[in-house]
Amino acid sequence: MKSWKYIFAVLLLMLATVTIALFEVPDGNLHVIACNVGLGDAILITYGKTQILTDGGPDKSVLSCLGKYMPFWDRQVELVISTHPDADHSTGLTDVIRNYQIGEILINPIDPGTTVYEVLKKEVGGRGVPIINPQEGMRLGVGLMYLDILNPSVELYNKLIVKNMSDKMAKYQISRETNLYSIVYRLSFKNFSGFFPGDIPPEVSNRLSIESSVKGVDYIKIPHHGSVNGLTENLLKALMPKIAVISVGKNMWNFPRPEILDMLGKYGVKVFRTDEVGDVEVITDGTKYWVKSKKDS
Amino acid sequence: MTDKPPISKFISRVLVRNLTLIIFVSLLIVFRYFTTRPIYKNGDTVRITATILTDPVSYPGSQGLKVAGLTVYLPTFPEVSYGDGIVVEGIVDEGKLKNAKLISVSGNRSFGSFARNKIIFFYQKVLPQPMSGLTAGITLGSKGTLTSDFWNRVKFTGVAHVVVASGTNVTFVVSFLMGVLTLILPRKKAILFVIVGIILYLFLSGFDAPLVRAAIMAVLTFWAVETGRLVDAWRVLLLTGGIMLIIQPDWLGDIGFALSFVSTASIMLLEKRIAKWLRPVPGVLREGLSTSLAAQVGVAPILFVTFGRFNIWSPIINALVLWTIPYIMVLGSVGGVVGLMFPFLGKMILWLSYPLNWWFVKVVYLFG
């Protein structure tokens, strides 16, 4: 019998699996990764074996990003945030829910009536993923990470038509201005902080800029892919970030707009764009932070 | 089996002995080909009712699929997938269906595609992307599970043929299993195991035409190789291929058909010779290596001409990754089936294939 050869082959494969697993054991740092998903947003925050995914991009390419930055045996994303129901932010979330175990989903109770949203709603409902609705002033703790929710405010919902108050994903009906309802949060991890504003329009930017809870941050995800219909100078002055990340791909509106890039240049903010460098990974131990990005790696 | 004539002499001998057969079959194929041309022409508005037999490819905002020989692009939603029955309408334009509209979709019907979707789902639950997509592609020919980014790299590097349900993967595995099982079992038992295994596999993969024809070709041919004389095996291959083309002349232009035919032929011609050179390599590994190397020699020219851009590194990339195919396929299908009943055990088996998937992905990313 030559069976020992087969046993040997299996042992060799086991050894290889374990070796790769050892290399994928997470370090003790926080990683904020803007995934290169083209025009759209998908931002993964990982700390140890805890992950927070904000938006899922326009297609399933977000899955490659999760596969790359999560250890292969970790099949759970602790928190998924869907900032608003636009297709370039939420289409990929459907695939994420199909492929991963989801701890909780933070999502607005607004139903835009699109097919993309309908499919997402079906996946969330069908799998019984616990739903949290955001509220201004809410604080979520995930491991050592804290998320302070800054938008949407309760008043915003009053403008909408009530659809079904018991449906946590469709309390209100919405047809346009979904950006207005973008979930905005401030992330804190020890001394590091980041600002994640979804696709907020200038009016929300300006409103947030005068709020006391909005203060200096290290990191900002530029709202609305660098559209002029997003970041305002007031908000930038209030936040004074060191690093700005623009999640953008080929588009017909000339995003990111020169006005926004000039504004960031004026305040000496270092800009990283996913269309130029691929995934943008910012790593922090809670005090120091550094950027790791490599074209197409 | 020990004394082999030079390859060129051998090929000409095969051709001469089968000359009448080849001429007769070719004539029949040509006749059938010209009498079964599709009746539509450019500019025609057509409505097509068909079952989707290849996996739709997902692009941002759209999905691409093939029905009735035409390429069709549809919006991402409603999603259509392998095995669905669909009705589409549009205008024929140079092999494409322009302004395509999806009239209706009906879900998967056969058990085969049901099991197939369950297994693909299990891969996605257990393995991260792009490894889960790769396993689904290699094992079940599911292109739709791949992310578009990885699919582009796979095309660019010239290894797309292993994940597009072209049937070459089946050819590999049949040859691989025949080789390995005849080492440890009596010949007749080994062949029986291979046939039963392949039928089970076809059942799971949903009887995709390229897989079925590759399986028939490979099983019959390698069976003849193992039991009888090599020259009989050639006649078997020519006959099977010929009969398939007489029944389905459209396959003449099907690259998957050409690939499975040529890879079967080239494994038959070269596998034993290559295995001889590889004697220092341990048994299990040698079987996978010699099979894939042999197939590659014949397949490479076709790939250069047809699969997208010409990539100068393609032969090297293929040589680096192809040996993993039989192992990924065997571990993938066993892991998938076991996983349906015992998820934990299935997961362990799939994890064994992780280093192989990892290697494949890393090589593709390095060159892509």
Side-chain angles (χ1 to χ4, degrees):
Chain A
M1 273 305 265
K2 296 176 181 173
S3 53
W4 65 271
K5 274 187 180 171
Y6 297 89
I7 294 167
F8 179 73
V10 169
L11 284 176
L12 204 69
L13 279 179
M14 280 163 88
L15 186 70
T17 309
V18 172
T19 310
I20 296 173
L22 285 178
F23 274 102
E24 291 188 7
V25 171
D27 56 18
N29 296 325
L30 179 90
H31 300 244
V32 179
I33 301 126
C35 300
N36 180 21
V37 291
L39 185 69
D41 270 16
I43 291 134
L44 176 67
I45 303 170
T46 73
Y47 174 65
K49 56 186 194 57
T50 309
Q51 290 84 20
I52 301 174
L53 177 69
T54 307
D55 290 336
D59 57 20
K60 64 168 81 169
S61 53
V62 61
L63 294 177
S64 305
C65 188
L66 294 183
K68 189 171 156 197
Y69 294 100
M70 288 170 69
F72 75 84
W73 67 87
D74 184 354
R75 303 300 297 166
Q76 184 174 28
V77 176
E78 277 65 18
L79 177 65
V80 166
I81 301 171
S82 172
T83 62
H84 64 299
D86 287 4
D88 59 332
H89 289 249
S90 68
T91 309
L93 287 180
T94 305
D95 292 298
V96 173
I97 294 168
R98 284 178 187 160
N99 282 261
Y100 287 84
Q101 196 79 33
I102 307 298
E104 283 166 322
I105 184 166
L106 178 70
I107 190 164
N108 261 309
I110 54 174
D111 184 352
T114 57
T115 347
V116 172
Y117 194 73
E118 201 181 296
V119 175
L120 180 66
K121 196 165 173 289
K122 217 174 88 189
E123 290 297 331
V124 171
R127 273 151 225 272
V129 179
I131 302 167
I132 313 172
N133 286 147
Q135 213 175 56
E136 190 187 359
M138 187 188 244
R139 176 164 241 225
L140 296 171
V142 187
L144 283 177
M145 300 172 274
Y146 290 94
L147 275 61
D148 289 293
I149 311 291
L150 305 167
N151 194 59
S153 58
V154 189
E155 303 90 73
L156 272 175
Y157 294 128
N158 295 337
K159 293 203 258 176
L160 298 171
I161 302 162
V162 173
K163 195 181 172 199
N164 177 3
M165 285 310 275
S166 62
D167 188 341
K168 282 184 130 178
M169 275 183 78
K171 284 183 188 167
Y172 308 97
Q173 216 169 320
I174 191 167
S175 49
R176 49 202 182 90
E177 294 192 313
T178 43
N179 289 345
L180 208 58
Y181 293 82
S182 285
I183 297 177
V184 178
Y185 68 91
R186 185 182 196 276
L187 165 82
S188 353
F189 170 75
K190 297 177 189 169
N191 294 321
F192 177 86
S193 57
F195 190 76
F196 300 86
D199 271 1
I200 50 165
E203 46 192 302
V204 180
S205 286
N206 284 334
R207 199 201 84 218
L208 289 173
S209 71
I210 51 170
E211 269 180 30
S212 60
S213 51
V214 175
K215 42 190 191 273
V217 293
D218 302 299
Y219 176 106
I220 182 176
K221 197 280 307 182
I222 298 298
H224 212 170
H225 326 288
S227 160
V228 285
N229 203 7
L231 184 68
T232 61
E233 195 158 353
N234 290 336
L235 182 62
L236 190 62
K237 273 197 287 196
L239 292 169
M240 285 312 278
K242 310 288 188 309
I243 304 173
V245 172
I246 305 178
S247 182
V248 69
K250 231 185 249 168
N251 66 84
M252 54 175 148
W253 304 280
N254 201 16
F255 295 165
R257 292 291 286 266
E259 294 92 323
I260 297 292
L261 293 175
D262 290 347
M263 194 199 292
L264 291 167
K266 189 171 139 194
Y267 289 92
V269 185
K270 267 199 117 163
V271 178
F272 296 89
R273 294 164 54 171
T274 56
D275 61 337
E276 288 181 352
V277 295
D279 300 341
V280 180
E281 182 180 15
V282 175
I283 309 170
T284 177
D285 57 7
T287 318
K288 289 184 305 232
Y289 55 87
W290 56 97
V291 181
K292 204 171 121 189
S293 69
K294 206 165 78 197
K295 177 78 187 151
D296 281 335
S297 65
Chain B
M1 282 301 228
T2 43
D3 223 22
K4 285 196 171 65
I7 291 174
S8 57
K9 220 182 234 171
F10 181 75
I11 292 176
S12 54
R13 205 167 72 197
V14 169
L15 288 179
V16 170
R17 287 207 192 165
N18 295 298
L19 201 60
T20 23
L21 178 73
I22 292 172
I23 292 174
F24 179 68
V25 170
S26 309
L27 280 176
L28 256 179
I29 293 169
V30 169
F31 172 74
R32 283 280 296 155
Y33 184 78
F34 284 105
T35 48
T36 53
R37 291 296 70 212
I39 29 160
Y40 51 72
K41 54 183 188 297
N42 286 344
D44 282 359
T45 302
V46 290
R47 177 179 277 225
I48 303 166
T49 306
T51 303
I52 302 179
L53 287 176
T54 55
D55 252 290
V57 194
S58 70
Y59 303 102
S62 73
Q63 48 185 341
L65 50 136
K66 270 204 145 182
V67 280
L70 295 167
T71 309
V72 185
Y73 294 97
L74 294 169
T76 309
F77 295 107
E79 275 176 293
V80 295
S81 56
Y82 178 89
D84 285 350
I86 59 162
V87 181
V88 283
E89 202 176 72
I91 303 158
V92 179
D93 179 47
E94 298 293 336
K96 286 201 185 86
L97 195 65
K98 281 237 168 130
N99 305 329
K101 256 192 302 204
L102 185 65
I103 310 292
S104 71
V105 200
S106 54
N108 290 330
R109 284 157 302 186
S110 67
F111 170 77
S113 41
F114 176 73
R116 182 178 193 266
N117 289 342
K118 280 262 184 198
I119 291 177
I120 291 175
F121 183 73
F122 184 68
Y123 293 154
Q124 288 177 313
K125 275 278 170 198
V126 171
L127 296 171
Q129 283 283 13
M131 287 76 176
S132 56
L134 183 63
T135 299
I138 289 175
T139 314
L140 298 169
S142 157
K143 208 175 6 170
T145 321
L146 294 169
T147 57
S148 55
D149 159 67
F150 187 65
W151 168 236
N152 285 333
R153 284 164 201 264
V154 156
K155 267 199 300 195
F156 178 73
T157 48
V159 291
H161 59 103
V162 298
V163 290
V164 293
S166 66
T168 33
N169 54 349
V170 179
T171 315
F172 279 25
V173 166
V174 172
S175 163
F176 172 76
L177 287 180
M178 287 267 190
V180 169
L181 290 177
T182 44
L183 284 180
I184 50 175
L185 290 173
R187 191 158 285 170
K188 271 191 184 147
K189 251 192 203 156
I191 291 165
L192 193 72
F193 265 103
V194 175
I195 292 174
V196 171
I198 290 296
I199 290 173
L200 279 178
Y201 165 76
L202 289 178
F203 198 58
L204 290 174
S205 66
F207 291 98
D208 199 8
L211 303 181
V212 176
R213 69 196 179 202
I216 293 172
M217 244 188 281
V219 166
L220 290 179
T221 309
F222 297 134
W223 186 352
V225 172
E226 291 295 337
T227 52
R229 290 180 310 151
L230 212 49
V231 182
D232 290 333
W234 281 97
R235 193 164 296 159
V236 169
L237 177 65
L238 288 172
L239 256 178
T240 351
I243 291 171
M244 283 178 185
L245 285 180
I246 291 169
I247 297 169
Q248 210 39 272
D250 280 344
W251 288 355
L252 208 53
D254 186 328
I255 191 210
F257 184 85
L259 286 176
S260 359
F261 187 85
V262 171
S263 56
T264 308
S266 99
I267 288 173
M268 188 167 31
L269 197 62
L270 301 170
E271 200 265 320
K272 291 267 149 57
R273 286 180 169 83
I274 290 175
K276 214 189 275 174
W277 300 337
L278 293 175
R279 203 156 279 165
V281 182
V284 208
L285 196 61
R286 184 174 56 216
E287 202 58 48
L289 259 180
S290 59
T291 305
S292 57
L293 282 175
Q296 221 175 298
V297 175
V299 167
I302 307 180
L303 294 179
F304 281 158
V305 183
T306 45
F307 264 92
R309 276 165 291 185
F310 177 86
N311 189 333
I312 194 106
W313 296 103
S314 178
I316 294 169
I317 303 165
N318 270 286
L320 285 174
V321 299
L322 283 193
W323 64 272
T324 59
I325 306 280
Y327 307 100
I328 293 179
M329 216 174 142
V330 170
L331 288 171
S333 41
V334 173
V337 174
V338 171
L340 291 185
M341 293 165 287
F342 311 102
F344 182 77
L345 202 59
K347 180 159 111 177
M348 291 297 123
I349 297 172
L350 288 183
W351 276 7
L352 279 186
S353 78
Y354 185 75
L356 302 164
N357 276 296
W358 183 87
W359 168 258
F360 195 118
V361 168
K362 290 288 160 187
V363 171
V364 166
Y365 269 82
L366 185 68
F367 286 92

